[in-house]
Amino acid sequence: MFGMDNNQMTMASSLLLGCAALALLLALLVRSRLRCRELDRQLAQARAGIEALRRQALHDGLTGLPNRFLLEDRIDQSIAKAHREQCCFALLFIDLDDFKLVNDSHGHAAGDLLLVQIGRRLLGNLRQSDTVARIGGDEFVVLTEIVAANDISALREKITHALAQPFQIGSAWLQVTACVGHARFPEDGLCMTELLAKADAGMYHLKRQRRPDATRDAAAPRTMTPAALPLTSMAETAR
């Protein structure tokens, strides 16, 4: 360079090279940080996707309630706790009466909305420690810990009363009835299969009592009959 001796030129060149190297290093660092942020974003998305898949696998797609798989896990935990702490729990099997009539009269969308509202009402009337699961079309199961001798009968009455209150579906008001069977651990079964079978049998017994003319066997496929409609529409009454 003009006006510089060799040493000065060497120092200037080294300084320029150092600045260029530093600029390159900073650029690489910024690029690396951006890459790390992108990887973090992708990892967060992957984790969210895995969590969504896990939730889908363990929860009912319509109501968001635990499904049969999660219910089985909760029952296994309750069994382990019962053995460990010498406590008891119960399953309550809830089956709506003639739910098919809702779909036939008001459409499947109305039926789906009714199931969602039933799930919410059950959750709103039970303890946070209780599990409310949907295991079939119009079948719900409540898993609850028993403390007092009358806990089961009190809970059955509470559930029946809660479901007897009308549900608003669009402009219509629907009133439903349900049969509730129960099973107590360990008297009525030592696993989920035995407990559900006992509660299901109790629920069918109630259905047969309500309909003495019914000839359905507990093991036979379920059919809906239009007789004595327990699902009644009260449309327009709110107007």
Side-chain angles (χ1 to χ4, degrees), residues 172-191:
W173 288 82
L174 301 181
Q175 195 165 23
V176 305
T177 60
C179 288
V180 183
H182 75 270
R184 176 171 175 159
F185 178 89
E187 293 91 333
D188 297 322
L190 299 177
C191 65

Side-chain angles (χ1 to χ4, degrees), residues 2-230:
F2 298 105
M4 292 184 181
D5 56 25
N6 290 336
N7 290 335
Q8 291 176 330
M9 293 180 61
T10 300
M11 291 178 60
S13 298
S14 299
L15 182 60
L16 290 174
L17 289 175
C19 291
L22 181 60
L24 179 60
L25 182 61
L26 289 174
L28 291 174
L29 181 60
V30 170
R31 183 177 179 182
S32 176
R33 288 184 176 179
L34 292 175
R35 179 60 177 167
C36 287
R37 290 178 182 176
E38 176 63 19
L39 291 175
D40 288 342
R41 186 187 65 81
Q42 293 178 5
L43 181 59
Q45 287 181 341
R47 287 174 176 170
I50 293 173
E51 177 61 24
L53 290 175
R54 188 190 71 82
R55 180 171 179 79
Q56 289 176 10
L58 298 176
H59 291 78
D60 174 54
L62 176 63
T63 63
L65 297 174
N67 61 16
R68 181 181 290 267
F69 298 110
L70 184 52
L71 175 64
E72 183 173 7
D73 180 70
R74 298 275 177 87
I75 292 175
D76 289 341
Q77 293 180 34
S78 296
I79 291 175
K81 180 180 179 181
H83 287 307
R84 185 174 61 252
E85 302 180 8
Q86 300 301 307
C87 58
C88 298
F89 68 88
L91 291 184
L92 288 87
F93 195 109
I94 305 167
D95 185 89
L96 302 180
D97 295 322
D98 296 316
F99 176 73
K100 183 176 182 295
L101 296 177
V102 175
N103 290 331
D104 292 344
S105 301
H106 301 277
H108 288 276
D112 288 347
L113 183 56
L114 177 61
L115 292 173
V116 171
Q117 291 192 21
I118 287 174
R120 291 175 179 172
R121 185 169 294 182
L122 288 173
L123 288 174
N125 282 272
L126 299 176
R127 298 172 299 185
Q128 289 187 350
S129 58
D130 297 334
T131 293
V132 180
R134 181 185 177 221
I135 63 170
D138 61 341
E139 297 173 340
F140 297 82
V141 172
V142 174
L143 168 63
T144 183
E145 185 174 350
I146 299 173
V147 178
N150 65 337
D151 279 356
I152 295 178
S153 58
L155 185 57
R156 288 180 58 171
E157 182 177 350
K158 187 174 185 179
I159 291 173
T160 302
H161 177 74
L163 295 182
Q165 307 308 308
F167 294 86
Q168 184 174 8
I169 309 296
S171 61
W173 288 82
L174 301 181
Q175 195 165 23
V176 305
T177 60
C179 288
V180 183
H182 75 270
R184 176 171 175 159
F185 178 89
E187 293 91 333
D188 297 322
L190 299 177
C191 65
M192 173 176 169
T193 301
E194 295 175 354
L195 291 168
L196 280 180
K198 177 68 175 181
D200 186 64
M203 178 272 297
Y204 268 112
H205 178 68
L206 290 176
K207 283 187 179 288
R208 287 193 294 270
Q209 285 185 327
R210 288 185 179 182
R211 295 181 181 176
D213 59 331
T215 58
R216 295 184 302 177
D217 184 81
R222 301 186 186 189
T223 57
M224 300 293 184
T225 60
L229 304 183

